[in-house]
Protein backbone atom coordinates (compact mmCIF):
# COMPACT_ATOMS: atom_id res chain seq x y z
CA UNK A 1 0.00 0.00 0.00
CA UNK A 2 2.90 2.35 0.71
CA UNK A 3 4.18 1.85 -2.84
CA UNK A 4 0.80 3.01 -4.17
CA UNK A 5 0.79 6.23 -2.13
CA UNK A 6 4.47 6.89 -2.79
CA UNK A 7 4.03 6.49 -6.55
CA UNK A 8 0.86 8.59 -6.57
CA UNK A 9 2.71 11.34 -4.71
CA UNK A 10 5.53 11.28 -7.26
CA UNK A 11 3.06 11.42 -10.14
CA UNK A 12 1.22 14.51 -8.95
CA UNK A 13 3.90 16.27 -6.88
CA UNK A 14 4.99 18.73 -9.54
CA UNK A 15 1.65 19.51 -11.13
CA UNK A 16 -0.89 21.74 -9.39
CA UNK A 17 -3.44 20.80 -12.06
CA UNK A 18 -3.03 17.11 -11.24
CA UNK A 19 -3.21 17.83 -7.51
CA UNK A 20 -6.47 19.74 -8.03
CA UNK A 21 -7.84 16.99 -10.23
CA UNK A 22 -6.97 14.41 -7.57
CA UNK A 23 -8.51 16.42 -4.72
CA UNK A 24 -11.72 16.92 -6.73
CA UNK A 25 -11.95 13.15 -7.23
CA UNK A 26 -10.73 12.13 -3.80
CA UNK A 27 -13.83 10.03 -3.22
CA UNK A 28 -12.56 7.64 -5.87
CA UNK A 29 -9.66 6.89 -3.55
CA UNK A 30 -11.95 5.96 -0.64
CA UNK A 31 -11.41 2.20 -1.00
CA UNK A 32 -7.63 2.65 -0.98
CA UNK A 33 -7.87 5.08 1.94
CA UNK A 34 -9.98 2.57 3.89
CA UNK A 35 -7.56 -0.26 3.10
CA UNK A 36 -4.68 1.92 4.24
CA UNK A 37 -6.46 2.61 7.54
CA UNK A 38 -6.89 -1.12 8.07
CA UNK A 39 -3.25 -1.87 7.25
CA UNK A 40 -1.60 0.92 9.28
CA UNK A 41 -1.09 -1.08 12.48
CA UNK A 42 0.85 -3.72 10.54
CA UNK A 43 3.06 -1.45 8.43
CA UNK A 44 6.75 -1.50 9.19
CA UNK A 45 8.49 1.83 9.77
CA UNK A 46 9.68 2.53 6.24
CA UNK A 47 6.30 1.67 4.70
CA UNK A 48 4.52 3.91 7.19
CA UNK A 49 6.82 6.82 6.38
CA UNK A 50 6.51 6.22 2.63
CA UNK A 51 2.71 6.22 2.97
CA UNK A 52 2.76 9.54 4.81
CA UNK A 53 5.27 10.99 2.34
CA UNK A 54 3.19 9.90 -0.67
CA UNK A 55 -0.01 11.35 0.79
CA UNK A 56 1.71 14.65 1.58
CA UNK A 57 3.37 14.80 -1.84
CA UNK A 58 -0.01 14.23 -3.48
CA UNK A 59 -1.37 17.07 -1.30
CA UNK A 60 -4.03 14.84 0.24
CA UNK A 61 -3.97 17.04 3.30
CA UNK A 62 -5.29 16.75 6.82
CA UNK A 63 -7.26 19.96 6.26
CA UNK A 64 -9.65 17.93 4.11
CA UNK A 65 -12.28 16.08 6.16
CA UNK A 66 -11.96 13.04 3.92
CA UNK A 67 -8.29 12.69 4.81
CA UNK A 68 -8.26 13.88 8.44
CA UNK A 69 -9.04 10.41 9.83
CA UNK A 70 -6.18 8.87 7.87
CA UNK A 71 -3.71 11.51 9.08
CA UNK A 72 -4.90 11.01 12.65
CA UNK A 73 -4.34 7.27 12.32
CA UNK A 74 -0.95 7.86 10.71
CA UNK A 75 -0.06 10.00 13.73
CA UNK A 76 -0.91 7.13 16.08
CA UNK A 77 0.98 4.59 14.00
CA UNK A 78 4.00 6.89 13.74
CA UNK A 79 4.08 7.36 17.50
CA UNK A 80 3.97 3.58 17.93
CA UNK A 81 6.95 3.23 15.56
CA UNK A 82 8.78 5.92 17.49
CA UNK A 83 8.03 4.13 20.76
CA UNK A 84 9.66 1.02 19.29
CA UNK A 85 12.59 3.15 18.07
CA UNK A 86 12.15 1.82 14.55
CA UNK A 87 12.80 5.06 12.64
CA UNK A 88 16.08 5.87 10.92
CA UNK A 89 17.27 9.47 10.53
CA UNK A 90 15.83 9.55 7.00
CA UNK A 91 12.52 8.17 8.31
CA UNK A 92 12.41 10.84 11.03
CA UNK A 93 13.12 13.69 8.61
CA UNK A 94 10.62 12.41 6.05
CA UNK A 95 7.96 11.85 8.69
CA UNK A 96 8.34 15.40 10.02
CA UNK A 97 8.27 16.78 6.44
CA UNK A 98 5.16 14.75 5.63
CA UNK A 99 3.16 15.89 8.64
CA UNK A 100 4.20 19.52 8.19
CA UNK A 101 3.33 19.41 4.49
CA UNK A 102 -0.02 17.79 5.28
CA UNK A 103 -0.75 20.57 7.77
CA UNK A 104 -1.17 18.01 10.49
CA UNK A 105 1.41 19.40 12.90
CA UNK A 106 0.63 17.41 16.01
CA UNK A 107 2.88 18.61 18.79
CA UNK A 108 3.27 15.27 20.63
CA UNK A 109 4.53 13.52 17.49
CA UNK A 110 6.93 16.38 16.71
CA UNK A 111 8.23 16.27 20.30
CA UNK A 112 8.94 12.56 19.90
CA UNK A 113 10.62 13.10 16.52
CA UNK A 114 12.83 15.82 18.05
CA UNK A 115 13.79 13.62 20.99
CA UNK A 116 14.72 10.72 18.70
CA UNK A 117 16.46 12.89 16.12
CA UNK A 118 18.77 14.77 18.47
CA UNK A 119 21.04 11.82 19.39
CA UNK A 120 21.23 10.78 15.72
CA UNK A 121 21.95 14.14 14.04
CA UNK A 122 25.42 13.01 12.97
CA UNK A 123 23.72 10.31 10.90
CA UNK A 124 21.32 12.68 9.12
CA UNK A 125 22.13 13.62 5.54
CA UNK A 126 22.39 17.35 4.79
CA UNK A 127 18.96 17.15 3.12
CA UNK A 128 17.60 15.36 6.18
CA UNK A 129 18.82 18.17 8.44
CA UNK A 130 17.29 20.73 6.11
CA UNK A 131 13.96 18.88 5.88
CA UNK A 132 13.83 18.41 9.63
CA UNK A 133 14.12 22.08 10.59
CA UNK A 134 11.95 23.10 7.61
CA UNK A 135 9.19 20.84 8.97
CA UNK A 136 9.31 22.34 12.47
CA UNK A 137 9.27 25.90 11.12
CA UNK A 138 6.44 25.09 8.69
CA UNK A 139 4.38 23.44 11.42
CA UNK A 140 5.13 26.40 13.72
CA UNK A 141 6.23 23.99 16.44
CA UNK A 142 9.24 25.35 18.31
CA UNK A 143 11.97 22.96 19.39
CA UNK A 144 14.82 25.12 20.70
CA UNK A 145 17.06 22.21 21.70
CA UNK A 146 16.66 20.56 18.31
CA UNK A 147 17.34 23.84 16.49
CA UNK A 148 20.45 24.48 18.61
CA UNK A 149 21.82 21.02 17.86
CA UNK A 150 20.93 21.11 14.15
CA UNK A 151 22.65 24.51 13.88
CA UNK A 152 25.83 23.01 15.35
CA UNK A 153 25.58 20.03 12.97
CA UNK A 154 25.10 22.27 9.94
CA UNK A 155 28.00 24.53 10.95
CA UNK A 156 30.32 21.53 11.26
CA UNK A 157 29.11 19.97 8.01
CA UNK A 158 28.25 23.02 5.89
CA UNK A 159 30.64 21.85 3.15
CA UNK A 160 28.59 18.66 2.73
CA UNK A 161 25.58 20.58 1.42
CA UNK A 162 25.82 19.93 -2.32
CA UNK A 163 23.18 22.43 -3.32
CA UNK A 164 22.22 25.91 -2.34
CA UNK A 165 18.57 24.99 -1.79
CA UNK A 166 19.31 22.92 1.29
CA UNK A 167 21.18 25.77 2.93
CA UNK A 168 18.50 28.27 1.92
CA UNK A 169 15.86 26.01 3.48
CA UNK A 170 17.86 25.84 6.71
CA UNK A 171 18.22 29.63 6.90
CA UNK A 172 14.52 30.06 6.05
CA UNK A 173 13.57 27.63 8.83
CA UNK A 174 15.63 29.45 11.44
CA UNK A 175 14.33 32.86 10.36
CA UNK A 176 10.73 31.63 10.26
CA UNK A 177 11.04 29.97 13.66
CA UNK A 178 12.67 33.11 15.06
CA UNK A 179 15.56 31.02 16.34
CA UNK A 180 18.80 32.92 16.69
CA UNK A 181 21.80 31.12 15.21
CA UNK A 182 24.54 33.61 14.33
CA UNK A 183 27.22 30.94 13.83
CA UNK A 184 24.92 29.09 11.46
CA UNK A 185 24.21 32.23 9.45
CA UNK A 186 27.92 33.04 9.26
CA UNK A 187 28.80 29.50 8.11
CA UNK A 188 26.09 29.49 5.46
CA UNK A 189 27.09 32.95 4.22
CA UNK A 190 30.72 31.83 3.97
CA UNK A 191 29.73 28.67 2.09
CA UNK A 192 27.59 30.57 -0.39
CA UNK A 193 30.30 33.07 -1.32
Amino acid sequence: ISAFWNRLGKLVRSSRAEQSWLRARGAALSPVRERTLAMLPDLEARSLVNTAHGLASARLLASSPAWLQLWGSLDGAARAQCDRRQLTPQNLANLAWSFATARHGVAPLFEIIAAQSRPQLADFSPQGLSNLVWAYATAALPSPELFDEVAAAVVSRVGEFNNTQGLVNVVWAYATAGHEAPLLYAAVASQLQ
Side-chain angles (χ1 to χ4, degrees):
I1 199 82
S2 65
F4 171 84
W5 292 118
N6 196 21
R7 186 66 185 136
L8 182 66
K10 286 180 182 178
L11 286 171
V12 303
R13 176 182 354 214
S14 60
S15 171
R16 291 211 185 272
E18 289 179 4
Q19 291 168 14
S20 296
W21 182 91
L22 184 61
R23 277 193 303 275
R25 290 156 187 84
L29 293 173
S30 290
V32 183
R33 186 178 63 239
E34 294 303 319
R35 182 71 181 134
T36 304
L37 281 164
M39 292 178 71
L40 278 180
D42 299 322
L43 291 181
E44 55 93 30
R46 184 175 177 190
S47 294
L48 176 78
V49 172
N50 286 345
T51 298
H53 193 273
L55 287 162
S57 294
R59 300 300 191 254
L60 297 169
L61 308 179
S63 56
S64 165
W67 298 99
L68 184 59
Q69 179 187 10
L70 181 53
W71 280 103
S73 295
L74 278 165
D75 170 42
R79 287 194 224 183
Q81 291 290 347
C82 287
D83 288 346
R84 291 192 295 272
R85 303 226 178 252
Q86 297 292 310
L87 299 173
T88 66
Q90 182 177 351
N91 291 156
L92 291 163
N94 287 347
L95 193 62
W97 179 90
S98 299
F99 275 81
T101 299
R103 300 184 193 124
H104 196 69
V106 286
L109 175 61
F110 275 79
E111 290 168 7
I112 293 167
I113 291 171
Q116 288 197 8
S117 295
R118 288 174 43 220
Q120 300 183 64
L121 289 176
D123 298 325
F124 275 70
S125 68
Q127 181 179 349
L129 293 170
S130 175
N131 288 352
L132 189 64
V133 292
W134 178 92
Y136 279 80
T138 298
L141 293 170
S143 185
E145 298 86 7
L146 177 66
F147 270 63
D148 287 344
E149 292 179 31
V150 169
V154 171
V155 167
S156 69
R157 298 170 53 195
V158 72
E160 295 177 28
F161 282 78
N162 295 327
N163 64 43
T164 304
Q165 188 63 51
L167 290 172
V168 169
N169 287 348
V170 168
V171 170
W172 176 89
Y174 279 77
T176 300
H179 193 91
E180 294 294 321
L183 294 177
L184 169 73
Y185 296 142
V188 169
S190 176
Q191 180 69 18
L192 294 177
Q193 289 183 4

